[in-house]
Amino acid sequence: MNGKVPARQFWSSRTAFLLATIGSAVGLGSIWKFPYMVGDNGGGAFVLVYLGAILIIILPLLIAEFAVGRRGGGSAVGSFANVAEESGASRSWGLAGVLGAVASFLILSFYSVVGGWTLAFIPLTASGSFTGAGVPEIAGHLTALLADPMTLTLYHGLFMGVTAVIVMLGVISGLERAVTILMPLMFAIMAVLVVYALVTADGFAAARFLFTPDFSKITANVVIDAIGLAFFSISVGLGAMITYAAYAGRDIDLSETALITIAADTFISFMAGFAIFPLVFSYGLDVAQGPALMFQVLPVAFSKMPLGAFVGTAFFVLLFVSALASAISLLEIFVSWLVESGIPRLIAAPSAALLCWFAGLGTVYSFNLWSGVHPLDGVRGFENQTIYDLLDFLTSNIMLPLGGILVAVFAGYVMRRSAVLEELGWKEGVIAWAWFLAIRFITPLAIILVLVWKFTPSGNAGG
Ligand code: TRP
């Protein structure tokens, strides 16, 4: 280990580290956001670009974040600075970590609001509100929740509060125990939902929708949305994985962990697709209804299946826990930086969470009081976007890709090649050559080209 790093905690095993990275990756991004963005963007073409982005952009970056984190041994800010110094570069590389900390704060502000929806749906499902209900009645429950700022604010506060308590007590021990049990259960319940949807509803229509790309649908907006979602879903681009890898022991194979994390997250995204879209097509629901999709479609299954109230409750509890595991990683990015700057964890975690909760009110009101507030109404392509829409766009489609470019440049050009190879346990050879090719050229260029395409007139910016 490099000598200047103070004693730190470590994951107790390789599996614990793997489950924690899967816990960070799998969350609302895969189960809520992936299906609704696929629906909004017309299906197969979006899915294809998403998968391409995962392979070409996200996989190399995840490996890079792991290498920087374990080498640096600090928060995202500290790790960048430490590794830069070791490589003979300026410690102000730490600013790349600051960008991540700011982005994670903004993401958590809206993530927690949606985390609150999952909490609100637990008592709703458990009390049998969906059992035997008709489709319009089911959709009405989310509509009513979104129209009620008070209830949304409370559940958002509850979600943020639980996140803060866990981060306050220290991530490793609490998180480790929780994810080891709950992540496997999450896969199991998704499997139940997929089987139900395939048996009772139109699985072929869902497969056609997901896997038949209509290339005429690939515009700059679709591409950048897909890339943004790939960053978001795998938790790449703002240092979450740097932060977690800092706690990884020497015996852990980082590139293997990266591969498994990505495979697990992508698998669960597709499970979510196959739990939701068959019902959408069988019941003639709207694929492009945006953020409401999962919350209005899955309860249709819970209303009809045997033991639906039980299965539904279990699903929302597990979804809450998955979202919580992701939210913890988001808050930890920010808090580990504060702790490193000398603020005690017991103070840093609750105050960051409180501030973030307050920022989240902008998202809460986007669905009711301020649904007509469109701050960038004068800007072409951003008309009609609520505060939530803009936050989501700014973080996923701008800040995460920019963070990605910084990670790529750092790992490809600044960090010593020998240090990279040592962290990844690679010798010079085909794998190392391919990874360096990706991280030095392909990944950053792909991101830059897409951003340029998006913001030139021919890219029909916004929307
Ligand atoms: N990946 C998580 C999800 O899909 C969200 C998340 C957690 C995240 N940590 C992150 C997104 C860091 C970007 C960066 O729900």
Side-chain angles (χ1 to χ4, degrees):
M1 205 75 29
N2 58 41
K4 53 189 173 297
V5 174
R8 45 177 146 131
Q9 264 189 302
F10 290 98
W11 303 104
S12 69
S13 67
R14 309 162 50 148
T15 323
F17 174 60
L18 177 64
L19 285 168
T21 62
I22 295 180
S24 169
V26 171
L28 297 170
S30 328
I31 298 162
W32 161 72
K33 212 171 180 204
F34 176 83
Y36 96 66
M37 292 195 70
V38 170
D40 280 357
N41 285 294
F46 181 86
V47 170
L48 196 71
V49 180
Y50 178 82
L51 290 176
I54 294 268
L55 267 187
I56 296 172
I57 298 178
I58 301 302
L59 177 62
L61 282 178
L62 180 57
I63 294 175
E65 284 204 14
F66 280 164
V68 172
R70 186 162 68 187
R71 191 76 178 180
S75 72
V77 181
S79 295
F80 267 116
N82 292 344
V83 177
E85 185 173 15
E86 183 198 62
S87 318
S90 158
R91 283 190 70 85
S92 39
W93 265 102
L95 287 174
V98 175
L99 171 79
V102 173
S104 66
F105 182 87
L106 294 177
I107 292 179
L108 183 57
S109 80
F110 69 77
Y111 202 86
S112 167
V113 174
V114 183
W117 304 358
T118 69
L119 272 175
F121 267 59
I122 294 172
L124 206 58
T125 318
S127 63
S129 308
F130 296 127
T131 315
V135 171
E137 191 187 335
I138 290 170
H141 284 290
L142 181 74
T143 314
L145 177 66
L146 293 185
D148 177 358
M150 196 63 198
T151 309
L152 284 178
T153 304
L154 284 176
Y155 278 114
H156 163 46
L158 193 59
F159 186 91
M160 191 70 88
V162 178
T163 309
V165 169
I166 297 178
V167 171
M168 196 167 84
L169 297 177
V171 166
I172 297 230
S173 50
L175 189 64
E176 206 178 286
R177 237 167 292 144
V179 292
T180 313
I181 308 169
L182 294 161
M183 278 296 126
L185 279 180
M186 185 74 215
F187 277 85
I189 196 124
M190 288 305 293
V192 171
L193 298 183
V194 170
V195 169
Y196 179 80
L198 292 181
V199 170
T200 66
D202 198 345
F204 288 108
R208 229 175 293 127
F209 183 65
L210 286 167
F211 296 126
T212 323
D214 169 0
F215 290 101
S216 69
K217 291 213 166 104
I218 300 188
T219 62
N221 283 330
V222 168
V223 174
I224 195 156
D225 272 357
I227 293 180
L229 177 65
F231 272 97
F232 186 93
S233 191
I234 315 282
S235 305
V236 166
L238 46 70
M241 296 304 195
I242 295 183
T243 313
Y244 274 12
Y247 310 130
R250 290 246 67 96
D251 59 329
I252 290 175
D253 183 337
L254 295 178
S255 45
E256 180 189 273
T257 309
L259 269 175
I260 301 178
T261 301
I262 284 182
D265 187 80
T266 309
F267 187 68
I268 213 147
S269 292
F270 279 92
M271 286 177 100
F274 276 103
I276 290 173
F277 288 115
L279 299 166
V280 169
F281 294 118
S282 283
Y283 292 97
L285 307 174
D286 178 11
V287 277
Q289 56 181 291
L293 184 71
M294 186 212 82
F295 289 92
Q296 296 193 329
V297 174
L298 285 184
V300 173
F302 305 142
S303 75
K304 298 192 186 321
M305 64 167 64
L307 296 176
F310 173 77
V311 175
T313 308
F315 170 76
F316 283 112
V317 169
L318 289 168
L319 182 60
F320 160 66
V321 177
S322 311
L324 188 65
S326 305
I328 289 169
S329 75
L330 284 164
L331 187 59
E332 178 66 13
I333 303 174
F334 201 77
V335 168
S336 63
W337 173 43
L338 297 179
V339 170
E340 220 170 55
S341 326
I343 302 173
R345 188 171 273 275
L346 282 177
I347 296 173
S351 20
L354 188 66
L355 216 67
C356 198
W357 172 82
F358 186 71
L361 295 180
T363 295
V364 166
Y365 299 147
S366 291
F367 293 99
N368 38 67
L369 304 177
W370 296 349
S371 59
V373 175
H374 306 133
L376 295 187
D377 235 349
V379 183
R380 199 173 63 89
F382 294 98
E383 307 90 349
N384 299 322
Q385 301 235 338
T386 61
I387 294 176
Y388 162 69
D389 295 329
L390 293 173
L391 262 182
D392 181 31
F393 180 84
L394 173 71
T395 51
S396 288
N397 293 5
I398 307 284
M399 294 178 95
L400 293 184
L402 281 183
I405 295 178
L406 291 175
V407 173
V409 168
F410 187 78
Y413 296 95
V414 177
M415 192 170 168
R416 282 207 191 101
R417 192 176 177 107
S418 57
V420 174
L421 294 177
E422 187 185 315
E423 288 306 325
L424 298 177
W426 290 347
K427 308 223 174 328
E428 291 291 354
V430 175
I431 293 183
W433 175 82
W435 181 82
F436 274 105
L437 182 71
I439 210 75
R440 301 182 74 151
F441 303 104
I442 301 175
T443 302
L445 277 179
I447 300 174
I448 291 169
L449 283 178
V450 172
L451 285 176
V452 169
W453 182 21
K454 161 88 188 171
F455 287 103
T456 46
S458 63
N460 98 84

